Structure formats: structure tokens, C-alpha cells
Amino acid sequence: MNNIPQHIAIIMDGNGRWAKARRLPRLAGHREGANAVKRTIEAAQKLGIKYLTLYAFSTENWSRPKEEIDGLMDLLCKTLDTYTGEAQQKNFRLLVSGAREELPPAVLEKIEKAVQTTAANTGLTVNLALNYGARQEIVHAVNTLLAQGKKLISMDDISAHLYQPAVPDPELIIRTSGEERLSNFLLWQAAYSEFYFTPVLWPDFNADELQKALDAYAGRTRRFGGV
Ligand code: IPE
Ligand code: IPE
Ligand code: MG
């Protein structure tokens, strides 16, 4: 099976429902979700995936209760710390996509440290979508081009001014928890992505579930409008 995508993007959904089913606070679901992130990164690395984009916090997620947001940001700081250590050892590179300037300073600091320390690593690239919104990303690209004095904008111009221009479009987008929508994720990059939806809640995601998604992907015919 050589039909393995270079870039997989995942909408990690269902932490809250996982916790609710166990009568636990939502944050317990997010904590377990962080373990699933770790497992998935390891599995992706073993499979030789080059890029893994993980949707961790959307621009719309600020509408959640403050307690949940604070808990998520705290968890993120802790995860970034462990990640930075492990990334060095395991040769992962970390990228962060989103409107960084709106993140709490503590998170921003961890992000910058993690991105800098892992910049030269050559293994799997983990692109964390954090305070990410795809419409905002496109508007940001257009505004950057306008500020450069561009009068006419091409598709290549937009692609070159997204948050991570060097990361290729994802061949495969996975969403867990049974929801079948993009929720403002990678609108531009997803033009020809294959979608895989699974009812599995994110905290239950693992190497076997990733393999199922890859098996489904391997059975798809990508036509790109051709015959
Ligand atoms: C995904 O899980 C994690 C984030 C959006 C941060 P949810 O928190 O959306 O879980 P559900 O959808 O409520 O189950
Ligand atoms: C999408 O999940 C965002 C992340 C997984 C980070 P949401 O749970 O926020 O999406 P909706 O609200 O169900 O569309
Ligand atoms: Mg959700």
C-alpha cells in the first residue's frame, strides 16, 4: 500500500461528549484528548506521514465558557512543554497556524519556544491549528497582498500568503465524533481533499482508527475533475 497521504488534517472533535458520557467535566475530555494527540503523532510518524495538521482551537471556540477556555489554554501550555522536549528527541517539527497575536501571552511564549526549538527537525511536521479560522486566514492573505500594493490577486498569490505556505494541501481530512462539517477549517486547502468521518470520539482515537481512515483513503479515486 503506497497510497499514503503526505498530509493528513484532523478535526479533533468529541472531547465534551466523551466526558459527558462518563459524567466527567468537559475538561477531563480535553485532557484525554491530549493523550489521543500524543498517540496520533506517534502513529503518524511510524507511518511516514510528512505533515499532520491538528485543529486544536477555532476562532469560534472563544464563545465557550471562560472556565473551559482557561482550562484548554492551560492544558495547551502543558502539552506544548512536553511536546517541545519530545519533539527534539523524536525529530518532530512544530508549526502553529492561526491568529497568534490574540492568544494569551503565556501560550504565545510556549508556542514561540516550541516552534523555534524544533525548527531544524526533519521528521514529521505537526501543524497545530490554534485560534484558527479559515476565512480569517484567507482575508489575512488578501490583506497582506493588498498591503504589498497588489492590484490583481492570483490563486498562487493566495496560496503563498496562507499561514503555512510551505505545507502542501491535505490529501485527507479526518473528523471524529460523527459531525460532518468543516467548521471553518482549511477552506482554501480542502478544495480537493478526501474526507473521512468517523463516529469515534477524539479521546478514543488511536493508531487503529488512523489506519481505518488510511484504508478508506487508499480506496478512493481522486479525479481532480478529470475522467
Ligand atoms: C473538540 O471537542 C475540542 C475543541 C473544540 C477544543 P469538543 O469540546 O468540541 O467536544 P464536543 O463536540 O462538545 O463533544
Ligand atoms: C471544531 O469543533 C473545532 C475544533 C475541533 C478545534 P467544534 O466542536 O468547535 O465545531 P462545531 O461547533 O461543532 O461546528
Ligand atoms: Mg465539538
Side-chain angles (χ1 to χ4, degrees), residues 6-8 159 162 166-172 186 188-193 222:
Q6 285 201 81
H7 181 186
I8 301 177
S159 293
L162 296 176
V167 175
D169 291 345
E171 294 98 323
L172 175 64
L186 305 180
W188 181 272
Q189 299 88 331
Y192 265 103
S193 301
R222 305 187 75 206

Side-chain angles (χ1 to χ4, degrees), residues 115-128:
V115 172
Q116 271 170 26
T117 351
T118 66
N121 291 352
T122 53
L124 172 71
T125 294
V126 177
N127 177 27
L128 207 58

